[in-house]
Amino acid sequence: MTLPKHFRSSRLRIGVAFSSLALVLFAAVGVLSGEQARDQAQRDAGAAIEQLADRLAFGLDAGLAERFREIQNLANLENLFETRLEPERWRAMVDRLQSSFPYYSWIGVARPDGTVVAGTQGLLEGRDVSKRPWFAAGLQRAFTGDVHEAMLLASLLGPQPNGEPLRLVDFAAPLFRDGRVEGVIGAHLTLAWVQERRAEALKATDPANRVEISIHGPAGTIMGPAAPAVEVLRRLEVGPAIVEWSDGKAYLSATARAGDAQGKRVFDWTIVARQPVDTALAPAERLRSRIWALGLLATLLFGIVGWWLAGRLTAPLRAVAQQAARISAQRGGGAAPADDDEVEQLAASLGTLLTHLREREHELVGLNASLEARVAQRTGSLNQANEDLRSFSHSVSHDLKGPIGSIGLVLRHLVEQQGERLDAGTRRLLGEVVRECDRLRRLTDELLSLALVEQSEMTMEPVSMQALVDEVVAELRRPGAAGAAEAERAELVVHPLPEVHGDAVLLRQVWLNLIANALKFSAKAAQPRVELQCRATEAGHEFSVADNGAGFDMSQAGRLFGTFQRLHRASDFPGTGVGLSIVKRVVHRHGGSVWAEGRPGEGARFAFVLPRRPASS
Ligand code: ADP
């Protein structure tokens, strides 16, 4: 089953889960406490009505005992009278008793033969009561007679105020005089007295509780609602219970036994107090409704709290999902499908993002492969170009340098052998060509060196600069070498030089060019002096070659290291303008730097720094 879209929201689901949890919890609490409250209410109400029945039973028993005693006391009075059965005295006595306790409907005294001699208000006097059960029993002993309907008295007394038939309980006792029975005193107590007691008992209860009291005797219901079945009454003897009555309804009921007088049971009366179940358990019902109302309120509150919490919990998820969707959209994949469930939305967005990332990765792998292919192609072309350059250098050195050298040699030989036969102009011209040939050869050499410096593989190793300088100086001073005379004449001061890490062949080029330049440009000084030294700096070893020669204009210093750049005229100082560009390239390939300082006529100082651990380029 698929839920409607808005029910799929995680937020809503968490909120509903919270509410449901609260509902289940409160329902459990409600049911349990409701049951307990119901039991308690039943116990309380049962105890209350049982107490009510007990109190009424006690009152009735006390009243009966009192009446019983009254009649017996009255019977004992006969002994005190002077003459036998004095009707006036007895009438006055019973009238007084009736007026003090109006529930006596009749009190009278009869002779042993059954003739009434005195009665309240003169009633029944002269009548024969010998057939009445109370009289027959009263002749023998003190007697009580259970409820019965009185026909004769009813006709004499007129209708009852409540319209009910006149029902009586009888009391009788023999009148003794000198140990002999002189007569019987009989009294009829109306049930109005019992009704009065019952009404008093009920007055103490709340009418809203609808408590009723019924009294039942062996002959049936004496008053109140009709008696329930006998087995039901028997059940109630154990204690209050909810039982079904003859009207088919359930009542909380409790019983008490009444009818005791003088320590023995004279009537077998059962008093039953009952209360409709709904009013008896009303407090429990009220409590239950209150618990349910609270439970529902708490459920609502939990729902709101759950909703709010879920909002807070899912906010980061939503943010991540939106971010992922935005990234996907930016990458041209379109937004992730809109979904109300934050988790599903996040999963969908991340899924889309992942797909895009995979596509991109795929593209990148492809691109990388094509790039690698292109790099390989370019590297191939470069290698080819390098190879071409190498063969070009080779051809320059052999194909160009060789012929130029040969031309120079031939011409020099010609001038030396045939010089006298040539005119002065031709000789000067040939001399000029020979010099140009030398210059061209040198230029070729230096260009080859530059090409070598640019292309050669570097072999990094520990190089003793001291040894390298000694070697270069020895070469420059070698007899027959160009500039050997100048080198001999100049004072060369070499301070101790350290060992560095570099390419010995290339570094040799640096020293060769710098020392040769220093010797060349100081040759015209009165006492040429060249000084080599090294000092440690933060950047590395700083080597310098200083001379006291021609110097140069510092404003032109920027041009010095460019190829074919020269600051002096060739007629003053011959040269090609390639040497310093070789120096610069070698120093740079060692990761170092090079610069120059000088003043015209005051000499120059060329310095370069090599890092302590150079990166080979
Ligand atoms: P070359 O020495 O063959 O002319 P270089 O490249 O070695 O070429 O030098 C370029 C120029 O730098 C030189 O022509 C010169 O003007 C200047 N130079 C080089 N060394 C010195 C130096 N020691 N004193 C003065 N000028 C120098």
Side-chain angles (χ1 to χ4, degrees):
M1 190 187 83
T2 49
L3 285 165
K5 206 173 151 199
H6 54 278
F7 275 113
R8 294 205 302 263
S9 160
S10 290
R11 185 177 191 184
L12 192 69
R13 274 191 287 189
I14 294 174
V16 169
F18 258 72
S19 304
S20 310
L21 191 70
L23 192 65
V24 169
L25 275 176
F26 281 103
V29 170
V31 167
L32 280 177
S33 53
E35 283 302 311
Q36 248 179 358
R38 195 186 142 91
D39 286 351
Q40 188 61 46
Q42 187 177 330
R43 271 199 299 277
D44 291 351
I49 58 170
E50 190 175 38
Q51 211 178 19
L52 187 69
D54 278 342
R55 258 207 317 271
L56 180 57
F58 180 78
L60 288 178
D61 285 353
L64 280 175
E66 207 176 321
R67 300 291 82 76
F68 203 66
R69 228 176 14 255
E70 250 169 19
I71 299 305
Q72 279 184 318
N73 286 344
L74 215 55
N76 290 335
L77 283 178
E78 179 59 21
N79 259 329
L80 302 175
F81 295 154
E82 285 149 25
T83 51
R84 290 178 176 182
L85 289 181
E86 289 175 57
E88 289 76 24
R89 278 196 171 216
W90 271 113
R91 194 175 302 120
M93 292 285 289
V94 293
D95 275 342
R96 208 173 309 134
L97 183 59
Q98 192 188 37
S99 63
S100 72
F101 194 73
Y103 296 107
Y104 285 118
S105 59
W106 183 83
I107 312 166
V109 175
R111 292 180 195 285
D113 63 358
T115 314
V116 175
V117 291
T120 45
Q121 290 152 46
L123 278 178
L124 296 177
E125 285 183 3
R127 297 268 189 128
D128 180 10
V129 291
S130 60
K131 297 284 180 299
R132 299 296 162 86
W134 64 267
F135 178 79
L139 270 179
Q140 309 301 319
R141 61 190 185 287
F143 164 80
T144 48
D146 209 341
V147 184
H148 62 95
E149 205 165 316
M151 308 304 259
L152 181 64
L153 262 180
S155 63
L156 293 173
L157 291 172
Q160 290 291 292
N162 53 11
E164 282 181 12
L166 180 62
R167 288 185 300 159
L168 306 168
V169 286
D170 300 340
F171 296 89
L175 301 181
F176 290 101
R177 181 184 279 270
D178 305 326
R180 281 179 48 213
V181 177
E182 278 292 290
V184 176
I185 180 165
H188 302 302
L189 192 63
T190 70
L191 280 189
W193 167 70
V194 179
Q195 251 154 358
E196 192 70 17
R197 295 280 83 74
R198 188 178 71 142
E200 269 172 22
L202 283 174
K203 218 187 290 172
T205 66
D206 187 343
N209 288 342
R210 289 153 56 202
V211 178
E212 292 169 293
I213 296 177
S214 54
I215 301 172
H216 312 277
T221 300
I222 299 169
M223 64 182 62
V230 183
E231 64 273 12
V232 170
L233 276 180
R234 209 163 295 137
R235 261 179 65 197
L236 292 176
E237 282 170 16
V238 186
I242 293 173
V243 292
E244 195 179 309
W245 281 58
S246 46
D247 60 1
K249 290 181 190 155
Y251 292 88
L252 176 65
S253 314
T255 60
R257 304 290 295 275
D260 287 2
Q262 300 266 305
K264 60 179 185 211
R265 182 153 292 272
V266 293
F267 304 135
D268 188 13
W269 290 356
T270 302
I271 296 172
V272 188
R274 72 175 196 184
Q275 189 179 9
V277 175
D278 58 340
T279 51
L281 302 183
E285 283 306 319
R286 275 199 296 277
L287 185 68
R288 199 177 9 211
S289 336
R290 224 170 290 154
I291 289 172
W292 277 108
L294 269 176
L296 286 176
L297 194 73
T299 303
L300 193 72
L301 266 175
F302 264 65
I304 293 169
V305 169
W307 174 263
W308 175 77
L309 259 181
R312 294 203 59 166
L313 285 175
T314 53
L317 289 185
R318 275 203 303 279
V320 174
Q322 278 165 7
Q323 192 64 30
R326 243 198 316 276
I327 296 171
S328 293
Q330 277 168 8
R331 288 176 184 273
D339 201 308
D340 283 349
D341 187 328
E342 293 78 358
V343 177
E344 280 174 25
Q345 197 182 343
L346 177 64
S349 299
L350 287 181
T352 319
L353 186 61
L354 218 64
T355 312
H356 288 312
L357 286 177
R358 258 190 229 117
E359 281 169 11
R360 290 283 170 271
E361 191 192 3
H362 203 69
E363 281 172 23
L364 278 176
V365 167
L367 208 65
N368 204 22
S370 79
L371 264 178
E372 270 174 18
R374 271 153 71 188
V375 166
Q377 195 186 351
R378 293 276 159 83
T379 312
S381 311
L382 264 176
N383 284 342
Q384 185 58 49
N386 274 341
E387 197 47 48
D388 292 350
L389 203 65
R390 234 173 260 129
S391 58
F392 169 73
S393 305
H394 193 260
S395 32
V396 166
S397 73
H398 287 93
D399 302 350
L400 205 62
K401 200 176 129 189
I404 291 170
S406 307
I407 294 168
L409 260 174
V410 169
L411 287 178
R412 192 172 286 119
H413 187 73
L414 190 70
V415 171
E416 279 167 11
Q417 298 296 312
Q418 308 290 327
E420 273 123 56
R421 278 194 264 158
L422 298 173
D423 60 78
T426 310
R427 238 190 352 258
R428 193 169 41 82
L429 200 66
L430 282 177
E432 193 70 25
V433 175
V434 167
R435 273 195 300 281
E436 274 310 304
C437 279
D438 283 348
R439 208 180 70 83
L440 258 178
R441 197 176 43 76
R442 258 201 324 277
L443 181 65
T444 317
D445 276 344
E446 289 191 347
L447 276 175
L448 272 173
S449 294
L450 184 62
L452 182 82
V453 163
E454 291 285 357
Q455 296 162 27
S456 69
E457 288 278 321
M458 280 175 73
T459 311
M460 302 299 280
E461 59 190 349
V463 178
S464 163
M465 291 298 231
Q466 190 75 51
L468 215 53
V469 164
D470 290 347
E471 222 176 272
V472 167
V473 170
E475 186 183 327
L476 287 170
R477 283 183 171 165
R478 183 168 44 84
E486 296 150 8
E488 273 308 325
R489 201 169 71 85
E491 181 193 0
L492 195 66
V493 182
V494 181
H495 295 284
L497 299 173
E499 192 180 80
V500 296
H501 197 79
D503 185 304
V505 177
L506 296 184
L507 288 174
R508 189 174 181 282
Q509 292 286 328
V510 173
W511 288 120
L512 186 65
N513 280 292
L514 290 181
I515 299 171
N517 276 353
L519 291 172
K520 179 166 71 181
F521 288 98
S522 61
K524 293 182 180 167
Q527 286 184 334
R529 186 173 191 275
V530 175
E531 188 174 0
L532 272 66
Q533 59 184 331
C534 173
R535 70 183 184 103
T537 67
E538 223 171 85
H541 297 293
E542 183 190 301
F543 297 94
S544 62
V545 180
D547 64 71
N548 58 350
F552 59 88
D553 182 358
M554 268 306 270
S555 65
Q556 303 293 313
R559 288 171 50 208
L560 276 178
F561 295 93
T563 315
F564 304 126
Q565 296 292 336
R566 308 199 71 239
L567 301 185
H568 298 83
R569 279 199 304 240
S571 53
D572 293 338
F573 298 99
T576 56
V578 177
L580 283 184
S581 53
I582 291 174
V583 169
K584 182 176 130 184
R585 184 66 197 136
V586 172
V587 171
H588 282 182
R589 284 195 75 182
H590 280 80
S593 57
V594 61
W595 69 96
E597 298 154 1
R599 279 161 80 104
E602 288 183 23
R605 179 176 176 271
F606 285 77
F608 63 95
V609 169
L610 293 184
R612 279 195 183 80
R613 191 84 197 168
S616 68
S617 70

